[in-house]
Amino acid sequence: MRWTTWLVSISVVCVGCTSKVGGNGSNLDVPVYPKAKIIMSGENQGIMGTNFETTDPREKVIAYYEEQLGTKQASGAIKASKAGHQITVIITDAGGGRTAGVITETK
């Protein structure tokens, strides 16, 4: 439940932002998970965010981002700095065989 609240909070950050649904997330410095369906992607006041879903297991998605960012998950988040940007990735079990993720990047 705690992560669901966090995911909703991230979505609220994007209210009023320039967003695209079903885009490729190419505005981020970290790739969107290869088998993911992008739910929403946008930018507002220097914060970019992408919400996505996949049917791959949570552990597999976490391992992918740990490799991409070169850091391990801690306190439920994978955090890194890349090209001077702060990147946070949260991966949760969305139920029904789905895994949800949120990527935020602050420039």
Side-chain angles (χ1 to χ4, degrees):
M1 186 67 158
R2 182 179 75 178
W3 292 116
T4 302
T5 302
W6 201 90
L7 292 172
V8 169
S9 297
I10 292 300
S11 296
V12 170
V13 168
C14 272
V15 170
C17 66
T18 303
S19 65
K20 56 188 174 193
V21 177
N24 64 11
S26 62
N27 57 335
L28 299 169
D29 284 334
V30 62
V32 175
Y33 187 73
K35 295 181 179 179
K37 174 184 175 186
I38 294 177
I39 307 302
M40 183 174 78
S41 182
E43 181 173 354
N44 187 17
Q45 298 179 354
I47 300 173
M48 294 181 289
T50 298
N51 296 11
F52 67 87
E53 256 184 25
T54 182
T55 55
D56 281 353
R58 180 177 177 268
E59 295 75 22
K60 185 174 180 179
V61 180
I62 289 170
Y64 172 81
Y65 280 105
E66 287 177 338
E67 182 179 324
Q68 288 294 314
L69 296 173
T71 185
K72 294 287 185 185
Q73 179 183 22
S75 301
I78 305 163
K79 296 182 179 186
S81 181
K82 189 172 183 179
H85 301 171
Q86 297 301 312
I87 299 168
T88 302
V89 180
I90 304 287
I91 307 298
T92 62
D93 180 353
R98 296 173 298 130
T99 299
V102 173
I103 304 169
T104 59
E105 183 175 331
T106 305
K107 290 190 169 193

